[in-house]
Amino acid sequence: MKTIGLIGGMSHESTVEYYKIINEEINKRKKGLHSAKMLIESYDFDEIEKLQSKENWEELTKILTESAKKLEAAGADYIAIATNTMHICADEVQKQINIPLIHIAEAAGNYIKKKNFDTVLLMGTKYTMTKPFYKDKLKNEFNINVIIPDDIEQKIINNIIYDELCIGIIKESSRLELLKIINNYKLKGAKAVVLGCTELPNIIKEADIEIINTTKIHSLEIADKILT
């Protein structure tokens, strides 16, 4: 069994889900008392969010790179960043380490292709929805057409994520607001919705189109690597 080095705390709400899903999957496959060999570096998300709001991706890349190197030195065979947004830094982090980084957008792309969805709606933080790191990977590497919510909808989604989901608040009114956005883009041709924020599956459990739960998909990909 390999060891995963997990960079978490962005937010702790999603990191808990990663830990749960990965360990449950390892136990499901290996039975008995088995669980995952895992090293976790977890951040104070307030510090990370302040740098995000300033769009100081250079400093954030430095922080994540230091974590990845620390986990590699501690014996990790793979690195995983337990959040969608911070994959903005993933390619640069990968360049600075000698072990593979398991990319969440690649895991999502592989899943979407297996499902034969050609057009998806991408929902996440404003950074995930507007920066090229995620949508371009899906388009260029997997030939998937990605629809992005409009500016007003982006603000609604981003506020729900940071003001509510990242601190464990689940509101029915927010769930209905998100479902309204999803249904709007179903009518515009989206075949599935990519929950491109690892907290979104905590509030969106089902919709009128298929849900791409990136937290679960990424966690299962990590479990696959652990057992290779």
Side-chain angles (χ1 to χ4, degrees):
M1 189 186 299
K2 300 292 195 302
T3 299
I4 186 68
L6 191 69
I7 303 176
M10 300 173 288
S11 70
H12 72 278
E13 290 289 334
S14 63
T15 307
V16 168
E17 292 300 312
Y18 271 85
Y19 187 84
K20 183 174 184 289
I21 295 168
I22 294 167
N23 278 292
E24 286 180 347
E25 187 66 16
I26 296 298
N27 183 259
K28 177 183 175 182
R29 298 191 200 182
K30 290 186 70 68
K31 311 298 183 184
L33 298 175
H34 286 288
S35 56
K37 296 176 69 174
M38 190 182 307
L39 302 169
I40 302 176
E41 172 92 329
S42 190
Y43 283 102
D44 176 359
F45 188 48
D46 183 75
E47 297 173 3
I48 299 296
E49 191 279 329
K50 283 182 170 61
L51 290 169
Q52 289 179 341
S53 65
K54 296 175 182 176
E55 301 220 25
N56 191 345
W57 304 112
E58 182 177 352
E59 181 63 23
L60 286 165
T61 299
K62 180 180 176 182
I63 289 170
L64 264 62
T65 298
E66 289 175 355
S67 286
K69 288 181 175 179
K70 187 187 302 182
L71 292 167
E72 181 180 9
D77 297 293
Y78 294 94
I79 295 296
I81 303 171
T83 170
N84 282 273
T85 297
M86 292 310 298
H87 277 75
I88 289 174
C89 310
D91 289 346
E92 290 302 315
V93 172
Q94 178 66 90
K95 292 175 183 178
Q96 301 299 319
I97 57 177
N98 300 305
I99 56 177
L101 185 151
I102 305 169
H103 200 294
I104 195 168
E106 290 180 3
N110 286 325
Y111 181 87
I112 294 166
K113 290 302 288 184
K114 287 178 183 177
K115 288 286 188 173
N116 292 316
F117 296 131
D118 58 1
T119 303
V120 298
L121 170 67
L122 175 61
M123 296 175 68
T125 67
K126 61 183 179 182
Y127 313 110
T128 298
M129 290 185 285
T130 58
K131 302 290 183 183
F133 76 101
Y134 209 104
K135 57 188 177 182
D136 282 7
K137 183 174 285 289
L138 292 180
K139 182 177 180 179
N140 298 334
E141 297 184 20
F142 298 94
N143 197 29
I144 298 165
N145 181 40
V146 180
I147 300 174
I148 304 298
D150 67 30
D151 291 347
I152 294 173
E153 293 163 336
Q154 287 176 26
K155 185 175 181 180
I156 292 170
I157 297 165
N158 192 74
N159 288 345
I160 290 172
I161 290 169
Y162 280 100
D163 296 342
E164 299 171 23
L165 302 182
C166 284
I167 52 175
I169 296 173
I170 307 293
K171 293 182 179 179
E172 178 64 10
S173 58
S174 295
R175 186 182 73 86
L176 293 175
E177 195 73 51
L178 294 171
L179 288 176
K180 181 181 177 181
I181 294 170
I182 292 170
N183 290 336
N184 180 34
Y185 286 95
K186 175 188 176 184
L187 297 175
K188 295 181 179 180
K191 303 298 191 300
V193 54
V194 177
L195 299 185
C197 168
T198 47
E199 284 81 19
L200 280 174
N202 294 340
I203 191 170
I204 300 296
K205 306 293 185 181
E206 58 182 20
D208 287 341
I209 56 177
E210 179 150 350
I211 291 171
I212 310 298
N213 181 340
T214 58
T215 306
K216 184 174 183 179
I217 291 166
H218 197 207
S219 295
L220 294 180
E221 180 78 10
I222 291 166
D224 285 343
K225 298 298 186 183
I226 288 173
L227 294 177
T228 55

